[in-house]
Amino acid sequence: TTKHKQESEKADKIKRSMSGVAKKIINPMSLRAALNLQSSKIPEQLAKSSAAFLSSAPSGGKHTLPDLSYDYAALEPCVSAETMTIHHTKHHNTYVTNLNASLEKLDAAVSAGDVSSIIGLQGALKFNGGGHLNHTLFWENLAPAADSELKDGPLKDAIIAKFGSFDAMKADVSAMSVAVQGSGWGWLGYDSKSKQIVAATCANQDPLQATTGLVPLLGIDVWEHAYYVDYRNVRPDYVKAVWDVINWDVVEKRFIAASQ
């Protein structure tokens, strides 16, 4: 059906996105799934979607919480050590735990040819898979304030070409991020069709590329757990401050890779 085809396409995009989070190899769980998919009565598009999710699992079949390249206190005063500790060890870790649990259930459902259960797991897989992917990208595009500098180069040129100035880009992304209703993310992404940098938002933990087709360059988490300890419910103050701890070197590397 059209719905199953759309779910398959989204799963394929999430799989490709998560390939940067952990190296994919053939593991027993995905191999068992592949064998079952060949002979089961699962609709083809749903089977492909399931295979995409299962094959995204890294060595050992388990996703793990990534280490940070900086200390929890390294982003102060913009983001406190308390916020970073809770955000990384509690919130992100919960997405990882729930993603692994959902993949185990998916593996069992595929093995049993249980179409109803497979369909029922799609929401949890998207939410927790997106949460793991988004946060991994987020940690990587943050850095201590002393290391946060947008140098002259292709990224800066592309930003100016699209937005007119660096400050104008920040204003656009900030306004869109602050305006997200409820929980979600603000993004700077690359549009491979127009060959331009684009400001965008996604609700909840929806992954940018799987949702919009844009390649993620810079993400700003605007869930309250990202800032409530430090800024209470004043999201604009948090969004303004987070620009001081962006790792522009990482963002530029993503831009160069996406635009090649």
Side-chain angles (χ1 to χ4, degrees):
T1 66
T2 301
K3 181 178 180 180
H4 287 161
K5 183 177 181 180
Q6 291 174 341
E7 290 295 336
S8 176
E9 291 174 349
K10 287 184 179 180
D12 287 340
K13 289 180 180 178
I14 294 174
K15 173 190 172 183
R16 290 194 296 270
S17 299
M18 294 183 72
S19 64
V21 177
K23 182 180 179 181
K24 301 187 295 295
I25 67 169
I26 297 297
N27 59 71
M29 184 167 64
S30 59
L31 182 59
R32 288 200 307 274
L35 292 173
N36 275 283
L37 293 176
Q38 293 179 11
S39 59
S40 71
K41 296 181 181 179
I42 302 171
E44 181 180 359
Q45 296 301 331
L46 191 59
K48 289 181 179 179
S49 171
S50 300
F53 275 117
L54 291 170
S55 62
S56 74
S59 177
K62 295 282 188 180
H63 291 277
T64 58
L65 183 70
D67 294 329
L68 303 185
S69 62
Y70 43 82
D71 295 333
Y72 288 134
L75 306 184
E76 292 186 337
C78 298
V79 184
S80 69
E82 182 181 4
T83 291
M84 287 297 300
T85 301
I86 296 171
H87 199 172
H88 183 245
T89 65
K90 301 297 183 182
H91 292 283
H92 188 175
N93 195 49
T94 297
Y95 294 121
V96 173
T97 299
N98 290 339
L99 173 60
N100 287 328
S102 296
L103 287 172
E104 288 181 3
K105 292 177 182 178
L106 179 64
D107 187 39
V110 168
S111 298
D114 185 348
V115 175
S116 179
S117 293
I118 294 173
I119 293 173
L121 286 165
Q122 298 303 302
L125 289 165
K126 179 181 178 181
F127 182 74
N128 292 295
H132 179 35
L133 171 63
N134 290 342
H135 282 86
T136 300
L137 293 169
F138 182 54
W139 307 135
E140 292 173 352
N141 68 220
L142 297 179
D147 300 324
S148 179
E149 178 187 1
L150 178 60
K151 305 177 181 70
D152 291 339
L155 175 62
K156 186 174 182 178
D157 291 343
I159 288 174
I160 293 174
K162 173 63 177 180
F163 296 94
S165 70
F166 178 62
D167 287 340
M169 179 276 294
K170 290 200 302 182
D172 280 4
V173 175
S174 294
M176 293 178 68
S177 300
V178 169
V180 169
Q181 294 183 344
S183 301
W185 291 74
W187 292 99
L188 197 63
Y190 180 74
D191 186 340
S192 58
K193 294 181 179 179
S194 67
K195 308 297 183 183
Q196 292 183 322
I197 292 178
V198 179
T201 61
C202 286
N204 301 313
Q205 293 296 352
D206 294 359
L208 180 69
Q209 191 164 9
T211 305
T212 67
L214 299 174
V215 179
L217 304 179
L218 182 158
I220 299 176
D221 187 351
V222 291
W223 281 64
E224 278 199 344
H225 64 234
Y227 59 87
Y228 193 82
V229 170
D230 304 322
Y231 300 93
R232 294 300 184 257
N233 64 336
V234 189
R235 183 186 288 176
D237 288 355
Y238 156 72
V239 171
K240 180 180 179 181
V242 81
W243 290 108
D244 292 335
V245 289
I246 297 298
N247 189 331
W248 291 106
D249 291 341
V250 165
V251 179
E252 183 165 66
K253 287 178 181 177
R254 291 175 181 170
F255 169 70
I256 293 172
S259 58
Q260 288 180 342

